[in-house]
């Protein structure tokens, strides 16, 4: 199930047409609908703002894909990436990972189930998926549960490639200047 329930926060455009996708874990046990409400109510003291929340029942798109969020721990990450928040302390975890893989596949395929309004010029690629900890200055423990169970985002990206019929790549480094 995919819900599009957009929050009217933030006005700045992403600065990269070839956007990064940053994967996070929520750090709590609430579902995707509660995550959306958290963002709608201002995102706490840090003003957190992210694009998607994923739980065991599906995906909620929270903000337009052309807008900058507040999630990466640094300005460049916020300016050049969208954020997926995986609801961490929910079960079954395998279902949350599968829903996240399907979301990644949907982004790359530009699925009509998602709202791409205003983001016609923004491209998404499975070669440009990062973990929160990959951004300089970010929380080095995020995505905590994904790191603990799978070592990171690579298995979810590989599953998204399977879903889209894209062969895997063997190079897990970032392009020049993004390490």
């Amino acid at each position: 199930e995919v819900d599009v329930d957009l929050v009217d926060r933030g006005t700045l455009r992403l600065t990269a047409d070839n956007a990064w996708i940053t994967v996070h874990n929520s750090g709590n046990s609430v579902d995707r609908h509660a995550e959306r409400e958290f963002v709608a109510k201002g995102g706490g003291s840090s003003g957190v703002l992210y694009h998607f929340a994923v739980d065991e029942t599906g995906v909620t798109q929270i903000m337009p894909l052309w807008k900058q969020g507040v999630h990466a721990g640094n300005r460049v990450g916020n300016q050049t990436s969208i954020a997926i928040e995986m609801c961490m302390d929910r079960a079954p975890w395998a279902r949350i990972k599968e829903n996240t893989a399907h979301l990644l596949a949907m982004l790359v395929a530009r699925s009509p189930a998602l709202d791409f309004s205003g983001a016609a010029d923004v491209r998404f690629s499975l070669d440009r998926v990062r973990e929160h900890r990959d951004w300089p200055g970010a929380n080095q423990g995020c995505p905590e549960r994904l790191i603990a169970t799978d070592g990171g985002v690579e298995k979810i990206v590989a599953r998204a490639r399977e879903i889209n019929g894209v062969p895997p790549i063997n190079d897990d480094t970032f392009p020049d200047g993004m390490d």
Side-chain angles (χ1 to χ4, degrees):
E1 174 184 5
V2 176
D3 299 326
V4 176
D5 192 3
L6 302 180
V7 169
D8 188 19
R9 284 186 53 213
T11 58
L12 298 176
R13 288 193 68 80
L14 289 173
T15 61
D17 291 341
N18 195 15
W20 289 95
I21 302 168
T22 303
V23 177
H24 304 262
N25 282 163
S26 63
N28 61 51
S29 62
V30 302
D31 68 11
R32 62 192 168 103
H33 304 292
E35 288 291 341
R36 189 248 177 233
E37 288 308 306
F38 172 70
V39 170
K41 291 178 180 173
S45 61
S46 299
V48 175
L49 183 59
Y50 40 85
H51 299 79
F52 294 96
V54 182
D55 69 9
E56 71 280 6
T57 65
V59 172
T60 298
Q61 183 176 351
I62 299 170
M63 62 182 291
L65 295 173
W66 61 267
K67 285 188 177 184
Q68 289 182 28
V70 178
H71 63 89
N74 73 40
R75 187 172 49 97
V76 172
N78 290 335
Q79 290 174 335
T80 62
S81 78
I82 63 165
I84 298 172
E85 193 78 20
M86 296 174 72
C87 296
M88 178 170 135
D89 292 331
R90 298 191 59 83
W93 179 241
R95 188 74 222 145
I96 296 167
K97 293 190 301 184
E98 182 71 7
N99 288 344
T100 303
H102 278 273
L103 172 56
L104 290 172
M106 292 168 70
L107 281 164
V108 171
R110 298 187 80 82
S111 169
L114 303 176
D115 184 347
F116 286 91
S117 299
D121 58 338
V122 181
R123 293 178 308 280
F124 301 100
S125 166
L126 295 175
D127 296 333
R128 293 179 66 83
V129 178
R130 310 181 83 159
E131 299 162 10
H132 183 197
R133 68 180 175 172
D134 294 328
W135 292 105
N139 175 350
Q140 291 302 296
C142 183
E144 180 182 348
R145 188 166 183 191
L146 192 59
I147 294 166
T149 60
D150 291 12
V153 76
E154 293 80 13
K155 289 180 184 176
I156 290 176
V157 172
R159 177 66 182 123
R161 288 180 187 288
E162 279 179 21
I163 293 165
N164 279 356
V166 178
I169 59 171
N170 295 323
D171 181 11
D172 61 350
T173 60
F174 295 116
D176 290 339
M178 294 307 294
D179 287 337

